[in-house]
Amino acid sequence: MATTPAAAAAAAAAGGAAILDTLGDFTSRENWDKFFALRGTGDSFEWYAEWEDLRAPLLSLLHGCGGGAEGGGGGKAPEILVPGCGSSVLSERLYDAGFRRVTNVDFSRVLVADMLRRHARARPEMRWRVMDMTDMQFTDGSFDVILDKGGLDALMEPEAGTKLGMKYLNEAKRVLKSGGKFACLTLAESHVLALLLSEFRFGWDMSIQAIGNESSKSAFQTFMVVMANDVIHSLEKENTIRESYSSGVDVTLSLRDLQLGAVGDLKVIIPGRRRMFILGDQGNSLYCYKAVLLDARKRTETFVYHCGVFIVPKVRAHEWLFASEEGQWHVVESAKAARLIMVFLDSRHANADMDVIKNDLSPLVKDLEPGNPEEEARIPFMMAGDGVKQREILQEVTSEITGPMVVEDVVYENSDEDQSSMTEKMFRRLIFKRNSGLVQSEALLVKDSTSDKADENNKKSPSASKKRRNQKKGPSGSKTVLRIDHSYLGSSYHSSIISGLSLIASALDSAAVAGTKVSTTVIGLGAGTLPMFLRGCLPFLDIKVVELDPLVEEVAKKYFGFSTDEQLQVHLGDGIKFIDDIAVANSGATTQQLMSTGNENNAVKILIVDVDSSDVSSGLSCPHANFVEDSFLLAVKKFLDEGGLFIINLVSRSSAVREMVVSRLKAAFEHLYSLHLEEDLNEVLFATPSERCLDNNNMDEAVAKLKAMLKFPVNVESDMKKLQKLQ
């Protein structure tokens, strides 16, 4: 493992290239033992910043720590810790300057033994310990000042990342007294400063100054970064900033923010404290989770748990009991917990095994447990139920293309909004298990009104017994015939796709009045619920669905009532190739040829990409990364032929990936709009190559036009209020 570039150069400047041969890895105990053994006893070594240059700023810092040197009349001298002390003369110079309470730690036994021999008589009060600076055996709050001279720099190996550095800084903050100071002498490389700024951003005052190098043999500039533990003052400033644009409660923090003190000391229960935050991140957990930390509003002796976790499934997250602040406090009281961590599951966790979820959460919530010296109880997990009251698996099948798929019928537990309904609703779901159990499609099952008369006729028929075997028990247990309700959209982002057609409402209205068909291409069939809804809702659409997997089409037809006709066709094949072929044909066609195929200048086209990705390692769950490549977007632009709307369902946990996709769309299309679903990860993007078919002057009028055309109810007004123009 290589050293950091600046540290390597400093080493070469200070002691020659031979040093680097010994210290291939600055974090290796064996390498340091070998290094100090080769240098011999009685020798000192400075990586950078000589005492002559450090003397003035360090003594000024130490005299400002509430005390002074021994016998200086300034009160009790500060307790000073020098981690990773090495053979530097820093500690002995401090001792000779009157600061006798100096504790030096280093994990090299060779070095500590030599330093004890050198200083035991001349400096008897100075202490030396063989100790790993990332795991120190000191009690909390032992030191007034920590002086780090190159220790953090040595830990920040590029190949090792920030893990050791974070561990060390956590230890440093632990052993530092309240009001203490952490002084870091560093070359201030960007990755080191980034860690310091991140780890000391809550509850600390920070200053930085350049150290003069008149006496130094090194050409590298040394800096002294000082962090003062002034929790009350710094948090007051932080809260003032936050309150200037928010109540503070609804600012979503990270788990690391909480650990660093963004909302105060987590070891202490603060009655009425409530903060939203994100649990987990890539690399440290399987999933990320939205969560709320709640400290009981009233102290009571009837607490059953000092800390508990309450898991809320996606289908219940919208209920008042879990979505509102008042409802959440009711849950805290019912749980009888001094602190409750409410965790909300969403589409990322669909169909995931609950034991996996709990195992993933356990180490994350452990850091949120308040101090409880009287009890080392395991944090209990509570749950509102998975939301599924009844489940019947109809088919499990594996495709060579899509992987394992499950078709199931479910009845959800009644939510608050359904309490007035006397009948329970049953839903049929198609699940793609390759993507964390993604619920790809959900359809509403309703009683087939034509089945009653048919049943009477079947009773007289010899085949009646066979037909009765095909009947299904409804939610109430009675035998009935159920069918898919194709006027129902089970996915909120599907509703957003329909609502977004308001952007081209005038063009659609003109086509409907003229009796012309609007070419509509949907890439990705799923259970066929979206194209079936489109066919019934907007009868003037000429719909072609492109699906790669023949088995998906079979499942859609067998279990979800999907059917084709002159208005709705399926093309089995690669969606990207399908668009490319038409784009190439459009590019080579003359105006007369385009008009002869019905593709007049006034024609409008719709292209919807609604496919998931089998590879989510890139941070892009939907669509597959190939559908947002520049080459495909250029083909889409040619496919639309300057007269249409490109709609894409985007799902990404990475803000960087999302920005990349948006940037590419902006480069390819003249106009770009976003409709983000707050309750889901889905973001529906609408792009168009020109203004020709765009209704962007009077959106209220466009919404009204679209609603007048829809044969099925869609909450267009509510959706379009969330629409944002990105370009």
Side-chain angles (χ1 to χ4, degrees):
M1 187 183 298
T3 64
T4 64
I19 293 174
L20 295 181
D21 295 333
T22 305
L23 286 174
D25 178 0
F26 279 21
T27 66
S28 168
R29 184 195 307 262
E30 291 74 17
N31 284 358
W32 281 108
D33 280 342
K34 182 180 178 181
F35 170 78
F36 288 118
L38 289 174
R39 291 192 63 85
T41 60
D43 188 21
S44 61
F45 183 82
E46 304 295 338
W47 291 100
Y48 35 76
E50 302 288 341
W51 169 252
E52 289 76 10
D53 299 320
L54 291 172
R55 185 179 185 280
L58 278 184
L59 294 184
S60 175
L61 171 72
L62 295 174
H63 284 296
C65 290
E70 297 287 345
K76 187 177 180 180
E79 289 283 354
I80 302 171
L81 173 67
V82 182
C85 59
S87 58
S88 169
V89 299
L90 174 65
S91 297
E92 62 184 81
R93 294 290 188 265
L94 290 174
Y95 189 97
D96 294 345
F99 295 93
R100 306 294 175 85
R101 300 174 184 269
V102 179
T103 300
N104 304 277
V105 302
D106 200 290
F107 65 1
S108 172
R109 293 184 180 277
V110 174
L111 177 278
V112 171
D114 180 45
M115 298 302 278
L116 279 170
R117 284 192 295 269
R118 289 167 57 182
H119 299 293
R121 292 186 178 180
R123 300 172 181 87
E125 297 177 56
M126 189 153 58
R127 296 179 291 273
W128 302 87
R129 299 286 186 271
V130 177
M131 198 176 292
D132 185 343
M133 60 197 285
T134 68
D135 186 20
M136 295 183 280
Q137 284 75 59
F138 298 118
T139 59
D140 295 359
S142 296
F143 299 97
D144 299 288
V145 180
I146 297 177
L147 294 181
D148 177 314
K149 187 171 184 282
L152 180 61
D153 285 1
L155 291 177
M156 294 291 285
E157 291 274 0
E159 294 180 18
T162 61
K163 184 176 181 180
L164 286 176
M166 289 178 63
K167 190 176 179 183
Y168 162 54
L169 293 181
N170 284 338
E171 277 292 273
K173 287 185 282 188
R174 181 185 66 80
V175 302
L176 197 63
K177 293 179 181 179
S178 178
K181 294 182 179 180
F182 176 83
C184 182
L185 294 163
T186 172
L187 295 180
E189 292 181 273
S190 59
H191 63 294
V192 176
L193 283 182
L195 183 64
L196 285 170
L197 291 170
S198 172
E199 294 300 295
F200 289 93
R201 67 183 182 272
F202 297 115
W204 298 81
D205 282 334
M206 182 179 294
S207 63
I208 184 169
Q209 70 178 97
I211 301 297
N213 59 355
E214 289 82 1
S215 305
S216 177
K217 300 175 184 178
S218 172
F220 288 87
Q221 176 65 61
T222 304
F223 296 86
M224 183 168 72
V225 184
V226 179
M227 276 65 65
N229 184 356
D230 188 0
V231 177
I232 296 177
H233 178 243
S234 295
L235 280 181
E236 284 178 351
K237 291 196 298 184
E238 177 70 22
N239 289 335
T240 299
I241 294 171
R242 289 182 178 276
E243 288 169 4
S244 67
Y245 65 89
S246 169
S247 64
V249 172
D250 293 327
V251 174
T252 302
L253 305 169
S254 68
L255 174 60
R256 190 61 186 156
D257 290 336
L258 268 61
Q259 293 170 332
L260 292 173
V263 296
D265 188 354
L266 290 177
K267 294 298 180 183
V268 178
I269 296 290
I270 301 178
R273 176 165 55 182
R274 173 181 173 269
R275 287 295 184 272
M276 298 192 305
F277 65 103
I278 301 296
L279 266 174
D281 53 44
Q282 292 183 351
N284 293 326
S285 58
L286 293 176
Y287 302 103
C288 288
Y289 309 86
K290 294 179 181 178
V292 180
L293 180 144
L294 300 123
D295 284 350
R297 291 185 289 188
K298 296 180 180 179
R299 296 184 182 274
T300 173
E301 297 180 358
T302 60
F303 287 138
V304 177
Y305 309 110
H306 74 290
C307 184
V309 178
F310 195 96
I311 299 175
V312 182
K314 177 188 175 183
V315 294
R316 302 195 62 185
H318 68 281
E319 297 179 26
W320 173 88
L321 191 62
F322 308 115
S324 69
E325 180 178 351
E326 186 178 355
Q328 290 170 2
W329 288 122
H330 278 282
V331 176
V332 174
E333 293 175 8
S334 300
K336 298 186 182 301
R339 171 173 294 167
L340 192 69
I341 302 162
M342 191 173 290
V343 178
F344 295 86
L345 303 185
D346 54 37
S347 55
R348 291 170 290 189
H349 320 107
N351 217 41
D353 186 87
M354 192 49 58
D355 287 336
V356 173
I357 293 289
K358 291 178 180 178
N359 289 336
D360 196 33
L361 283 169
S362 291
L364 301 177
V365 299
K366 192 66 179 175
D367 290 334
L368 300 173
E369 187 177 19
N372 188 11
E374 298 179 0
E375 181 183 3
E376 291 293 334
R378 186 176 180 180
I379 298 178
F381 283 88
M382 297 163 270
M383 191 166 180
D386 64 0
V388 176
K389 180 180 180 181
Q390 177 183 324
R391 187 194 313 271
E392 179 184 357
I393 295 178
L394 304 181
Q395 171 127 25
E396 293 184 84
V397 62
T398 299
S399 162
E400 293 183 0
I401 298 174
T402 305
M405 294 183 284
V406 176
V407 179
E408 64 180 15
D409 287 349
V410 299
V411 176
Y412 293 119
E413 295 176 349
N414 285 334
S415 61
D416 290 351
E417 65 182 27
D418 295 325
Q419 293 297 329
S420 60
S421 176
M422 298 302 293
T423 59
E424 295 173 319
K425 294 179 180 179
M426 179 175 283
F427 297 88
R428 181 160 295 171
R429 309 197 303 187
L430 173 61
I431 296 170
F432 287 176
K433 301 190 75 173
R434 69 185 183 188
N435 194 353
S436 302
L438 172 71
V439 179
Q440 203 283 335
S441 300
E442 182 176 85
L444 176 66
L445 287 166
V446 295
K447 184 178 179 181
D448 190 347
S449 60
T450 64
S451 64
D452 294 334
K453 291 182 180 180
D455 190 54
E456 290 297 323
N457 295 331
N458 288 339
K459 289 179 180 178
K460 303 174 184 179
S461 169
S463 60
S465 59
K466 180 180 179 181
K467 288 185 179 289
R468 279 194 292 270
R469 286 197 298 271
N470 290 331
Q471 291 178 334
K472 182 180 184 64
K473 285 188 176 182
S476 63
S478 61
K479 289 185 178 180
T480 187
V481 176
L482 299 176
R483 64 172 177 82
I484 301 295
D485 181 0
H486 291 297
S487 67
Y488 171 84
L489 284 176
S491 300
S492 53
Y493 79 88
H494 279 169
S495 173
S496 298
I497 289 174
I498 303 299
S499 297
L501 296 178
S502 299
L503 290 166
I504 54 171
S506 294
L508 295 177
D509 185 52
S510 297
V513 172
T516 58
K517 294 292 186 180
V518 173
S519 173
T520 303
T521 304
V522 180
I523 299 180
L525 174 63
T529 54
L530 177 60
M532 291 291 284
F533 183 91
L534 286 169
R535 180 173 67 179
C537 189
L538 295 167
F540 55 87
L541 298 183
D542 183 20
I543 306 167
K544 179 159 287 188
V545 181
V546 185
E547 172 56 48
L548 184 63
D549 192 344
L551 190 54
V552 169
E553 183 186 10
E554 290 181 24
V555 169
K557 287 181 175 179
K558 183 176 181 180
Y559 293 102
F560 291 88
F562 178 74
S563 62
T564 58
D565 56 18
E566 291 184 357
Q567 186 190 350
L568 173 56
Q569 297 288 321
V570 173
H571 171 84
L572 290 174
D574 187 311
I576 293 177
K577 185 178 185 303
F578 179 86
I579 298 299
D580 282 342
D581 290 345
I582 297 178
V584 170
N586 283 353
S587 297
T590 65
T591 302
Q592 185 175 359
Q593 288 172 328
L594 290 173
M595 292 180 66
S596 67
T597 58
N599 208 10
E600 305 89 356
N601 289 339
N602 291 327
V604 60
K605 283 185 176 181
I606 300 170
L607 172 60
I608 302 170
V609 173
D610 184 19
V611 293
D612 73 311
S613 174
S614 58
D615 177 18
V616 295
S617 60
S618 65
L620 188 62
S621 299
C622 291
H624 190 281
N626 290 345
F627 286 94
V628 290
E629 291 291 339
D630 292 332
S631 57
F632 177 72
L633 298 180
L634 179 60
V636 169
K637 188 174 182 179
K638 294 178 180 177
F639 171 84
L640 294 177
D641 192 34
E642 299 298 323
L645 189 64
F646 176 42
I647 306 173
I648 189 166
N649 174 37
L650 176 65
V651 181
S652 176
R653 290 198 294 176
S654 168
S655 59
V657 171
R658 187 260 179 192
E659 289 302 318
M660 177 269 293
V661 173
V662 169
S663 176
R664 289 180 179 178
L665 285 165
K666 284 182 176 180
F669 296 92
E670 186 175 335
H671 299 279
L672 181 64
Y673 295 84
S674 166
L675 210 164
H676 193 271
L677 283 67
E678 295 179 358
E679 68 276 13
D680 290 317
L681 288 174
N682 300 74
E683 179 180 10
V684 183
L685 298 172
F686 304 88
T688 181
S690 71
E691 291 186 346
R692 186 158 58 80
C693 297
L694 191 62
D695 283 314
N696 56 0
N697 294 324
N698 192 332
M699 191 54 64
D700 290 338
E701 183 179 327
V703 167
K705 281 184 180 180
L706 179 67
K707 286 199 67 177
M709 287 183 277
L710 299 178
K711 305 300 182 184
F712 302 146
V714 178
N715 198 349
V716 181
E717 294 98 331
S718 177
D719 286 339
M720 295 303 286
K721 286 179 181 178
K722 304 172 188 174
L723 188 75
Q724 291 184 329
K725 184 173 175 58
L726 301 182
Q727 175 169 297

